[in-house]
């Protein structure tokens, strides 16, 4: 039982890191990542013994995160994959970890934007564009910010505060 519990608790960090890496290298977050997070939530909640009212709170946070993500997508602030990842992470994190998630994600997103702006407007920019294609795209002026990386940072920082966080 401990092995199953450990394996299920590794799903969340592994998938949000995968999403971040895909977003940074391709500016896309495949739907399967968010769907896998949603699907893995149920067995993780069962193995962790999450009470039904608390599972309902997690679901409410996930729905609220989805609505917020849809608004941010409609405003052009984030991409569709980012919005789905934000919602799936919210489902796993629940309340009150969601507050840390939102704050850290916003700070990480701002820091990422500043770093990319600096890289895109520095003497290093031409050098960066001669590297791998994904690095060149990151260094290209006017290109978007792969916000999945910020969502990953926020999710990983907030996960230990979640009711689903492993207790060993």
């Amino acid at each position: 039982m401990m092995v199953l519990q450990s394996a299920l608790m590794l799903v969340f960090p592994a998938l949000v890191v995968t999403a971040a890496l895909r977003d940074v290298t391709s500016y896309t977050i495949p739907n399967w990542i968010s769907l896998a997070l949603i699907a893995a939530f149920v067995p993780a909640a069962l193995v962790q013994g999450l009470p039904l009212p608390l599972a309902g709170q997690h679901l409410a946070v996930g729905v609220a995160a989805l609505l917020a993500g849809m608004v941010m997508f409609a405003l052009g602030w984030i991409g569709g994959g980012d919005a789905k990842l934000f919602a799936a992470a919210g489902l796993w994190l629940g309340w009150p970890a969601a507050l840390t998630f939102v704050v850290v994600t916003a700070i990480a997103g701002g820091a990422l934007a500043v770093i990319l702006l600096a890289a895109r407007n520095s003497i290093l920019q031409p050098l960066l564009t001669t590297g791998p294609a994904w690095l060149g795209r990151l260094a290209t002026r006017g290109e978007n910010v792969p916000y999945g990386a910020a969502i990953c940072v926020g999710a990983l920082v907030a996960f230990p505060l979640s009711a689903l966080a492993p207790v060993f």
Side-chain angles (χ1 to χ4, degrees):
M1 184 66 161
M2 188 72 154
V3 171
L4 177 61
Q5 183 182 22
S6 298
L8 283 170
M9 292 306 108
L10 288 175
V11 167
F12 180 74
L15 287 175
V16 295
V17 167
T18 300
L21 291 173
R22 288 293 301 265
D23 202 19
V24 166
T25 59
S26 70
Y27 280 85
T28 59
I29 300 173
N31 287 334
W32 70 262
I33 294 174
S34 297
L35 291 172
L37 281 168
I38 293 165
F41 171 78
V42 174
L46 290 172
V47 167
Q48 286 294 89
L50 197 66
L52 196 54
L54 197 50
Q57 286 180 353
H58 278 255
L59 181 60
V61 168
V63 169
L66 179 61
L67 293 173
M70 290 168 63
V71 168
M72 290 185 286
F73 173 73
L75 293 171
W77 296 351
I78 63 174
D82 299 322
K84 290 177 265 188
L85 179 63
F86 189 72
L91 173 68
W92 271 77
L93 296 170
W95 186 259
L99 184 59
T100 300
F101 172 53
V102 169
V103 170
V104 173
T105 298
I107 292 168
L112 179 60
V114 167
I115 290 167
L116 289 176
L117 282 172
R120 292 171 182 173
N121 293 302
S122 75
I123 194 166
L124 296 176
Q125 195 267 342
L127 179 64
L128 295 173
T129 57
T130 62
W134 63 269
L135 185 59
R137 188 169 179 192
L138 284 174
T140 300
R141 289 185 179 109
E143 192 60 71
N144 291 326
V145 174
Y147 209 74
I151 294 169
C152 173
V153 171
L156 294 177
V157 169
F159 189 48
L161 306 173
S162 171
L164 284 180
V167 179
F168 297 107

